[in-house]
Amino acid sequence: MEDDNRFFSGCGTFLGVSFALFMLYAGLNYSGFCFAQMRYLSDEDKFRKVFERGNQQDTVFVNKGQNYENGGQRYERIKYESFEQFMESNPDCCTVRPSGIASLWLRITGIHSGEVTVMNYPVYYLDENGERKSRESKRGIILQNCGQLWYIMEPSS
């Protein structure tokens, strides 16, 4: 009988510790903690991730009307030389704000950070005559806790 009590006591302890560790893990994920890097990403880290993704694109889509149904054309993008040049040229371009659309499951698994990184800046390109032109790009991007792209909220360039 005493062995049965120790067994159940041990099971209760094991389950209690397991539950506490799960809650700690889920709570840190919910708060945006990146376990792969063992830290929270800074706003600058998030801006850099979104910038790098956009600056890799070789072309930019220029729409002829107010919506994509009116058609448009792709032009050669003039890329920024670096993230530092981008931030120097666009000091007020970027914000991080709560997204308000994440489910509990997406948050506790770290798939959705609970924030949206909003970037509003000019994209430069060469038109059909080789002239330098620009258009505004407003991008709202939801990143996972470690900075991987999860969702683009507004059309990207």
Side-chain angles (χ1 to χ4, degrees):
M1 190 69 153
E2 192 173 306
D3 288 340
D4 287 344
N5 287 340
R6 272 192 281 161
F7 173 76
F8 288 119
S9 175
C11 284
T13 302
F14 173 76
L15 290 174
V17 169
S18 296
F19 182 72
L21 289 174
F22 170 75
M23 291 303 291
L24 177 64
Y25 175 79
L28 284 170
N29 259 341
Y30 188 88
S31 70
F33 188 77
C34 172
F35 280 97
Q37 299 177 29
M38 295 305 290
R39 67 184 183 95
Y40 291 96
L41 297 183
S42 68
D43 287 354
E44 183 178 321
D45 292 331
K46 295 168 189 171
F47 301 154
R48 183 181 297 272
K49 295 275 187 184
V50 174
F51 163 79
E52 287 171 354
R53 182 181 182 281
N55 206 48
Q56 289 175 354
Q57 297 173 350
D58 294 326
T59 61
V60 60
F61 181 80
V62 178
N63 198 3
K64 294 179 181 177
Q66 293 297 327
N67 57 43
Y68 285 100
E69 288 81 34
N70 291 335
Q73 187 172 345
R74 290 207 161 270
Y75 294 101
E76 179 184 346
R77 175 190 285 261
I78 300 171
K79 297 181 180 184
Y80 288 93
E81 291 178 25
S82 66
F83 175 70
E84 290 71 25
Q85 180 210 19
F86 169 78
M87 291 304 291
E88 188 175 303
S89 301
N90 305 288
D92 298 321
C93 67
C94 312
T95 59
V96 176
R97 65 176 192 230
S99 71
I101 63 168
S103 70
L104 177 63
W105 177 253
L106 291 175
R107 295 287 304 276
I108 67 171
T109 57
I111 293 172
H112 189 305
S113 67
E115 298 175 326
V116 60
T117 302
V118 178
M119 298 178 74
N120 191 7
Y121 60 95
V123 174
Y124 298 98
Y125 63 95
L126 298 175
D127 71 5
E128 59 273 353
N129 299 318
E131 292 183 38
R132 180 183 168 112
K133 301 280 183 170
S134 70
R135 74 159 183 79
E136 286 299 309
S137 174
K138 182 171 184 178
R139 307 171 80 186
I141 299 198
I142 296 174
L143 301 174
Q144 295 179 11
N145 287 357
C146 291
Q148 301 92 333
L149 174 72
W150 186 69
Y151 186 76
I152 300 174
M153 295 178 67
E154 289 112 32
S156 63
S157 54

